[in-house]
């Protein structure tokens, strides 16, 4: 039975820790996202990109998970960005206030440039 | 109804009132109380809304609001009880789509959760970072009403207006 | 992950009006994806379900929009069973139309391919008797095509 529709992968590109989130971000995503975040933090990541792919569903439980990540990112003075969100979920991020704490980019390339420019 | 579901057949036509406005069209959907199956309602409602001519971003807004309403029904109203159902009724009118979501009311809706606007700064220091669902529904829909379903459960009635394209 | 005792099911009811079969199509596809159907099988199911609903709308309910088409889907023992019920104004039990060869040769009308398509796409299908006298078309499907 398909209980969760999300797969999470970690990789690194040009000094940015990328967490690929492929699928839906709902209640079922909590453990996967939290452990991916903990893993990149353990490796010393300063710039973290949540790269959404094939995503058309984020709900309030998913938003709560992301707020949890932002809480930790703020505490550890990391920088968090997202890419690949649809226009609708970019709007939702602004409504909720997440956009004040997360840089929103259209795609991965733009996010890498943006994060590295901010560091330089 | 649940016994009927086990047999594989449920008579659902009885819920449609015979005196309904003839320009109304009603779609009914019964779902299992299991997280994840709210997607069935989201996809069905999106199909109705697209057919009515709602723009892509309004369809997305409806999907998100309905996801929250059905998730609330599964988690709270039906308390994850596998024997309960969630009923979604889509009423198509010439100028609006009315979407109502009813549960079986194992737990009444927490009135305190209906009103407040959550704040992201507050949530950083709270262990529970949730509570955005009902707020999102209110933000995204044109009309929202929390009532009691005819069956005694909680019911959320949401309306989205069809604005004429300029 | 919790075990579910009862089979998973959804029920839908639509007005008998062309276009609403799309709503059933989306809902049933969504349900099938959720229980783990391969995408190719989901596409087969969407087409089969649409055809079944179109038959119910056009024939079983004689295109009277105040009538209803009911659809239920039950997922149990690795089989998805979909039933489409109409009011049976016109009965059509068990007649599966001939293959396309006879149609392109003009030996059979070009329309009425619905039941033929359904039979090709699902694992088993057929008609059941309904206490209310309507047509009940059932279709069953496994998540993956059997070799």
């Amino acid at each position: 039975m398909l209980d969760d529709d999300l797969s999470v992968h970690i990789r690194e590109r040009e000094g940015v820790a990328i967490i690929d989130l492929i699928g839906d971000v709902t209640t079922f995503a909590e453990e996967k996202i939290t452990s991916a975040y903990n893993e990149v933090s353990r490796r010393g990541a300063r710039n973290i990109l949540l790269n959404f792919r094939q995503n058309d569903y984020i709900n309030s439980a998913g938003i709560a998970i992301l707020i949890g990540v932002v809480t930790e990112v703020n505490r550890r003075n990391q920088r968090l960005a997202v890419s690949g969100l649809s226009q609708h979920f970019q709007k939702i991020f602004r409504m909720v206030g997440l956009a004040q704490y997360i840089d929103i980019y259209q795609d991965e390339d733009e996010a890498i440039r943006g994060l590295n420019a901010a560091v330089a | 109804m649940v016994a009927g579901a086990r047999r594989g057949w449920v008579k659902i036509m009885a819920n449609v009132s015979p005196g309904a406005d003839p320009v109304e069209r009603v779609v009914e959907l019964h779902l299992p109380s299991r997280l994840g199956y709210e997607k069935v309602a989201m996809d069905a409602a999106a199909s109705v809304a697209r057919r009515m001519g709602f723009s892509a971003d309004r369809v997305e807004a409806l999907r998100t609001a309905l996801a929250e309403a059905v998730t609330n029904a599964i988690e709270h109203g039906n308390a994850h009880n596998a024997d309960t159902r969630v009923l979604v009724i889509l009423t198509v009118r010439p100028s609006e789509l009315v979407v109502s979501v009813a549960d079986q009311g194992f737990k009444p809706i927490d009135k305190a959760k209906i009103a407040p606007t959550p704040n992201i700064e507050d949530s950083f220091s709270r262990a529970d970072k949730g509570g955005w669902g009902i707020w999102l529904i209110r933000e995204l829909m044109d009309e929202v009403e929390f009532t009691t379903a005819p069956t005694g459960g909680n019911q959320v009635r949401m309306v989205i207006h069809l604005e004429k394209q300029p | 992950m919790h075990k579910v005792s009862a089979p998973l099911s959804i029920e839908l009811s639509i007005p008998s009006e062309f276009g609403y079969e799309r709503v059933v199509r989306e809902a049933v596809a969504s349900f099938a994806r959720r229980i783990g159907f391969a995408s190719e099988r989901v596409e087969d199911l969407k087409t089969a379900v649409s055809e079944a609903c179109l038959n119910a709308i056009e024939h079983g309910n004689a295109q009277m929009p105040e009538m209803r088409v009911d659809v239920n889907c039950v997922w149990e023992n690795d089989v998805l069973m979909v039933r489409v019920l109409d009011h049976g104004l016109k009965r059509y039990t068990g007649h599966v139309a001939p293959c396309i060869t006879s149609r392109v040769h003009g030996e059979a009308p070009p329309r009425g391919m619905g039941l033929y398509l359904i039979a090709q796409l699902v694992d088993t299908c057929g008609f059941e008797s309904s206490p209310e006298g309507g047509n009940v078309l059932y279709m069953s499907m496994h998540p993956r095509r059997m070799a």
Side-chain angles (χ1 to χ4, degrees):
Chain A
M1 196 85 53
L2 225 123
D3 241 346
D4 69 280
D5 289 333
L6 178 75
S7 47
V8 177
H9 306 287
I10 301 171
R11 62 199 163 95
E12 199 192 312
R13 186 182 151 192
E14 296 168 49
V16 175
I18 299 177
I19 300 173
D20 288 307
L21 303 172
I22 305 159
D24 301 341
V25 179
T26 65
T27 314
F28 303 120
E30 178 152 25
E31 201 190 318
K32 285 179 184 173
I33 292 181
T34 307
S35 63
Y37 168 74
N38 288 338
E39 176 59 21
V40 300
S41 295
R42 196 185 58 76
R43 296 181 194 174
R46 306 307 308 157
N47 290 326
I48 300 167
L49 174 64
L50 299 176
N51 186 36
F52 290 84
R53 288 161 57 184
Q54 293 160 41
N55 172 274
D56 65 359
Y57 184 22
I58 301 173
N59 66 9
S60 60
I63 288 167
I65 296 166
L66 297 174
I67 293 174
V69 173
V70 168
T71 308
E72 284 301 301
V73 161
N74 288 348
R75 204 173 60 77
R76 301 186 203 194
N77 286 317
Q78 294 159 317
R79 192 178 178 91
L80 185 66
V82 295
S83 58
L85 283 178
S86 69
Q87 291 302 316
H88 173 68
F89 287 111
Q90 291 183 28
K91 183 180 85 180
I92 299 278
F93 273 41
R94 286 192 294 273
M95 282 166 53
V96 169
L98 274 169
Q100 295 165 251
Y101 301 93
I102 306 178
D103 300 324
I104 298 177
Y105 296 100
Q106 295 307 314
D107 57 37
E108 180 184 327
D109 290 345
E110 192 189 296
I112 298 284
R113 279 197 302 275
L115 283 167
N116 283 329
V119 171
Chain B
M1 190 188 78
V2 173
R6 287 223 180 83
R7 278 201 318 273
W9 188 248
V10 176
K11 189 79 184 136
I12 50 185
M13 288 184 274
N15 287 321
V16 179
S17 57
D21 186 333
V23 294
E24 278 187 3
R25 293 284 183 268
V26 176
V27 172
E28 279 192 33
L29 175 60
H30 296 245
L31 298 168
S33 281
R34 194 173 151 122
L35 284 181
Y37 288 86
E38 70 275 15
K39 284 191 105 176
V40 177
M42 293 159 69
D43 289 341
S47 173
V48 170
R50 276 195 302 270
R51 195 180 130 72
M52 289 175 71
F54 281 102
S55 64
D57 65 315
R58 299 284 280 164
V59 173
E60 284 302 308
L62 173 64
R63 286 177 63 94
T64 296
L66 182 54
E68 295 304 328
V70 175
T71 305
N72 274 342
I74 293 170
E75 290 186 315
H76 303 298
N78 288 347
H80 292 283
N81 183 337
D83 288 333
T84 62
R85 311 289 284 170
V86 177
L87 170 60
V88 179
I89 299 179
L90 305 159
T91 305
V92 178
R93 294 182 178 153
S95 62
E96 63 188 17
L97 173 60
V98 183
V99 182
S100 80
V101 176
D103 59 45
Q104 290 177 232
F106 278 72
K107 238 174 20 187
I109 200 156
D110 183 357
K111 296 285 178 203
K113 280 195 169 171
I114 296 175
T117 300
N119 178 293
I120 191 164
E121 274 79 20
D122 296 343
S123 68
F124 290 147
S125 52
R126 270 191 287 131
D128 173 13
K129 303 189 189 305
W132 297 88
I134 287 168
W135 176 80
L136 266 178
I137 295 172
R138 288 198 186 281
E139 288 290 308
L140 294 170
M141 295 290 96
D142 295 320
E143 296 171 36
V144 181
E145 194 185 3
F146 293 88
T147 56
T148 303
T151 51
N154 306 298
Q155 179 168 277
V156 189
R157 181 180 177 277
M158 305 175 284
V159 185
I160 177 166
H161 300 151
L162 193 59
E163 281 125 35
K164 289 282 162 279
Q165 301 298 323
Chain C
M1 214 172 283
H2 48 281
K3 279 261 175 271
V4 178
S5 50
L8 280 166
S9 65
I10 62 166
E11 299 86 41
L12 266 154
S13 165
I14 57 163
S16 246
E17 188 172 300
F18 288 125
Y20 281 94
E21 79 282 358
R22 288 169 179 275
V23 181
V24 178
R25 196 179 145 88
E26 292 302 323
V28 173
S30 189
F31 184 67
R33 277 193 294 270
R34 193 73 219 151
I35 57 185
F37 268 53
S39 60
E40 179 208 337
R41 291 302 267 164
V42 173
E43 293 307 311
D44 291 347
L45 181 62
K46 280 165 85 170
T47 298
V49 165
S50 308
E51 292 301 327
C53 289
L54 288 170
N55 276 342
I57 292 169
E58 185 173 3
H59 305 301
N61 291 348
Q63 287 190 62
M64 295 169 76
E66 64 276 20
M67 293 201 157
R68 311 289 295 173
V69 176
D70 288 3
V71 179
N72 77 52
C73 306
V74 182
W75 168 244
E76 196 171 15
N77 304 324
D78 211 35
V79 174
L80 177 62
M81 176 66 88
V82 180
R83 288 183 174 84
V84 177
L85 175 84
D86 61 41
H87 291 261
L89 297 184
K90 186 179 156 195
R91 305 305 300 262
Y92 50 98
T93 44
H95 173 71
V96 173
C99 67
I100 191 152
T101 322
S102 59
R103 293 175 192 278
V104 295
H105 289 101
E107 292 151 18
R111 296 203 56 220
M113 286 292 282
L115 289 176
Y116 174 78
L117 259 182
I118 292 168
Q120 298 299 304
L121 292 169
V122 302
D123 294 334
T124 61
C125 66
F127 291 87
E128 290 174 352
S129 61
S130 148
E132 284 91 12
N135 299 300
V136 180
L137 172 61
Y138 72 85
M139 299 171 276
S140 79
M141 231 173 164
H142 289 267
R144 274 160 204 84
R145 189 175 280 283
M146 285 179 293

Coordinates of all heavy atoms in Angstrom, one line a residue, chain B residues 34-68:
Chain B
R34 N -9.0 7.8 5.9 CA -7.6 7.4 5.9 C -6.8 8.4 5.2 O -7.1 8.8 4.0 CB -7.5 6.1 5.1 CG -6.2 5.4 5.4 CD -6.2 4.0 4.8 NE -4.9 3.7 4.4 CZ -4.2 2.7 4.9 NH1 -4.8 1.8 5.7 NH2 -3.0 2.5 4.5
L35 N -5.8 9.0 5.8 CA -5.0 10.0 5.3 C -4.4 9.6 3.9 O -4.0 8.5 3.8 CB -3.9 10.4 6.2 CG -4.3 11.3 7.4 CD1 -3.1 11.6 8.3 CD2 -5.0 12.6 7.0
G36 N -4.4 10.5 3.0 CA -4.0 10.2 1.7 C -5.1 10.2 0.7 O -5.0 10.6 -0.5
Y37 N -6.3 9.7 1.2 CA -7.4 9.5 0.3 C -8.1 10.9 0.0 O -9.1 10.9 -0.8 CB -8.3 8.4 0.8 CG -7.7 7.1 0.5 CD1 -6.8 6.6 1.4 CD2 -7.8 6.4 -0.7 CE1 -6.1 5.4 1.2 CE2 -7.2 5.3 -1.0 CZ -6.3 4.8 0.0 OH -5.6 3.6 -0.3
E38 N -7.7 11.9 0.7 CA -8.2 13.2 0.4 C -7.9 13.6 -1.0 O -8.6 14.5 -1.7 CB -7.7 14.3 1.4 CG -6.2 14.7 1.3 CD -5.3 13.7 2.1 OE1 -5.8 12.6 2.5 OE2 -4.2 14.1 2.3
K39 N -6.9 13.0 -1.6 CA -6.5 13.3 -3.0 C -7.6 12.9 -4.0 O -7.7 13.6 -5.0 CB -5.2 12.5 -3.4 CG -4.0 13.1 -2.8 CD -2.7 12.5 -3.4 CE -2.1 13.5 -4.4 NZ -0.8 12.9 -4.9
V40 N -8.4 11.9 -3.6 CA -9.5 11.5 -4.5 C -10.5 12.7 -4.6 O -11.0 13.0 -5.7 CB -10.2 10.2 -4.0 CG1 -11.4 9.9 -4.8 CG2 -9.2 9.1 -3.9
A41 N -10.8 13.3 -3.4 CA -11.7 14.4 -3.4 C -11.1 15.6 -4.2 O -11.8 16.3 -4.9 CB -12.0 14.8 -2.0
M42 N -9.8 15.8 -4.0 CA -9.1 17.0 -4.6 C -9.2 16.8 -6.1 O -9.5 17.8 -6.8 CB -7.6 17.0 -4.2 CG -7.4 17.4 -2.7 SD -5.8 16.9 -2.1 CE -4.7 18.0 -3.0
D43 N -8.9 15.6 -6.6 CA -8.9 15.4 -8.1 C -10.3 15.5 -8.6 O -10.6 16.0 -9.7 CB -8.3 14.0 -8.4 CG -6.8 14.1 -8.2 OD1 -6.2 15.2 -8.1 OD2 -6.2 13.0 -8.1
A44 N -11.3 15.0 -7.9 CA -12.7 15.0 -8.4 C -13.2 16.5 -8.4 O -13.8 16.9 -9.4 CB -13.6 14.2 -7.5
A45 N -12.9 17.2 -7.4 CA -13.3 18.6 -7.3 C -12.6 19.5 -8.3 O -13.3 20.4 -9.0 CB -13.1 19.2 -5.9
A46 N -11.4 19.2 -8.6 CA -10.6 20.0 -9.6 C -11.2 19.7 -11.0 O -11.3 20.6 -11.8 CB -9.1 19.5 -9.6
S47 N -11.6 18.5 -11.2 CA -12.3 18.2 -12.5 C -13.6 18.9 -12.7 O -13.8 19.5 -13.7 CB -12.5 16.6 -12.5 OG -13.2 16.3 -13.6
V48 N -14.4 19.0 -11.6 CA -15.6 19.8 -11.7 C -15.3 21.2 -11.9 O -16.0 21.9 -12.7 CB -16.5 19.6 -10.4 CG1 -17.6 20.5 -10.3 CG2 -16.9 18.1 -10.2
A49 N -14.4 21.8 -11.1 CA -14.1 23.2 -11.2 C -13.5 23.6 -12.6 O -13.9 24.6 -13.1 CB -13.1 23.6 -10.1
R50 N -12.7 22.8 -13.1 CA -12.1 23.0 -14.5 C -13.3 23.1 -15.5 O -13.3 23.9 -16.4 CB -11.1 22.0 -14.9 CG -9.7 22.2 -14.4 CD -8.7 21.4 -15.1 NE -9.0 19.9 -15.0 CZ -8.5 19.2 -14.0 NH1 -7.7 19.7 -13.1 NH2 -8.8 17.9 -14.0
R51 N -14.2 22.1 -15.3 CA -15.3 22.0 -16.2 C -16.2 23.2 -16.2 O -16.8 23.6 -17.1 CB -16.1 20.7 -15.8 CG -17.1 20.2 -16.8 CD -17.8 19.0 -16.2 NE -19.2 19.1 -16.3 CZ -19.9 19.0 -17.4 NH1 -19.2 18.8 -18.5 NH2 -21.2 19.1 -17.4
M52 N -16.3 23.8 -15.0 CA -17.1 25.0 -14.8 C -16.4 26.3 -15.3 O -17.0 27.3 -15.5 CB -17.4 25.3 -13.3 CG -18.3 24.3 -12.7 SD -18.5 24.5 -10.9 CE -19.4 26.1 -10.9
G53 N -15.1 26.2 -15.6 CA -14.4 27.3 -16.2 C -13.5 28.1 -15.2 O -13.1 29.2 -15.5
F54 N -13.3 27.5 -14.0 CA -12.4 28.2 -13.0 C -11.0 28.3 -13.6 O -10.6 27.3 -14.2 CB -12.4 27.5 -11.7 CG -13.6 27.8 -10.8 CD1 -14.7 26.9 -10.7 CD2 -13.7 29.0 -10.1 CE1 -15.8 27.2 -10.0 CE2 -14.8 29.3 -9.4 CZ -15.9 28.4 -9.3
S55 N -10.3 29.4 -13.3 CA -8.9 29.5 -13.7 C -8.0 28.5 -13.0 O -8.4 28.0 -11.9 CB -8.4 30.9 -13.5 OG -8.4 31.2 -12.1
A56 N -6.8 28.2 -13.5 CA -5.9 27.3 -12.9 C -5.6 27.6 -11.5 O -5.5 26.7 -10.6 CB -4.7 27.2 -13.8
D57 N -5.4 28.9 -11.2 CA -5.0 29.2 -9.8 C -6.2 29.1 -8.8 O -6.0 28.7 -7.7 CB -4.3 30.6 -9.7 CG -5.3 31.7 -10.0 OD1 -6.0 31.6 -11.0 OD2 -5.3 32.7 -9.3
R58 N -7.4 29.3 -9.3 CA -8.6 29.1 -8.4 C -8.8 27.6 -8.2 O -9.2 27.1 -7.1 CB -9.8 29.7 -9.1 CG -9.7 31.2 -9.3 CD -9.9 31.9 -8.0 NE -11.3 32.0 -7.7 CZ -11.8 32.3 -6.4 NH1 -10.9 32.6 -5.5 NH2 -13.1 32.4 -6.2
V59 N -8.5 26.8 -9.2 CA -8.6 25.3 -9.1 C -7.6 24.8 -8.0 O -7.9 24.0 -7.2 CB -8.4 24.6 -10.4 CG1 -8.3 23.1 -10.2 CG2 -9.5 24.9 -11.4
E60 N -6.4 25.4 -8.1 CA -5.3 25.0 -7.1 C -5.8 25.4 -5.7 O -5.6 24.7 -4.7 CB -4.0 25.7 -7.4 CG -3.3 25.1 -8.6 CD -3.0 23.6 -8.3 OE1 -2.4 23.3 -7.2 OE2 -3.3 22.8 -9.1
A61 N -6.4 26.6 -5.6 CA -6.8 27.1 -4.3 C -7.9 26.1 -3.7 O -7.9 25.8 -2.5 CB -7.4 28.5 -4.4
L62 N -8.8 25.7 -4.6 CA -9.8 24.8 -4.2 C -9.2 23.5 -3.7 O -9.6 22.9 -2.7 CB -10.8 24.6 -5.3 CG -11.9 23.5 -5.1 CD1 -12.8 23.9 -4.0 CD2 -12.7 23.2 -6.4
R63 N -8.3 23.0 -4.5 CA -7.6 21.7 -4.1 C -7.0 21.8 -2.7 O -7.2 20.9 -1.9 CB -6.5 21.3 -5.1 CG -7.0 20.8 -6.4 CD -5.8 20.6 -7.4 NE -4.9 19.6 -6.9 CZ -5.0 18.3 -7.2 NH1 -5.9 17.9 -8.1 NH2 -4.2 17.4 -6.7
T64 N -6.3 22.9 -2.5 CA -5.6 23.0 -1.2 C -6.7 23.1 0.0 O -6.5 22.5 1.0 CB -4.7 24.2 -1.2 OG1 -3.7 24.0 -2.2 CG2 -4.1 24.5 0.2
A65 N -7.7 24.0 -0.2 CA -8.7 24.1 0.8 C -9.4 22.8 1.1 O -9.7 22.4 2.2 CB -9.7 25.2 0.4
L66 N -9.8 22.1 0.0 CA -10.5 20.8 0.2 C -9.6 19.8 0.9 O -10.1 19.0 1.7 CB -11.0 20.3 -1.2 CG -11.8 19.1 -1.2 CD1 -13.0 19.1 -0.2 CD2 -12.3 18.7 -2.6
A67 N -8.3 19.8 0.6 CA -7.4 18.9 1.2 C -7.5 19.1 2.7 O -7.5 18.1 3.5 CB -6.0 19.1 0.7
E68 N -7.4 20.4 3.1 CA -7.5 20.7 4.6 C -8.8 20.2 5.2 O -8.8 19.7 6.3 CB -7.3 22.2 4.8 CG -5.9 22.7 4.4 CD -4.7 21.9 5.0 OE1 -4.9 21.5 6.2 OE2 -3.7 21.8 4.3

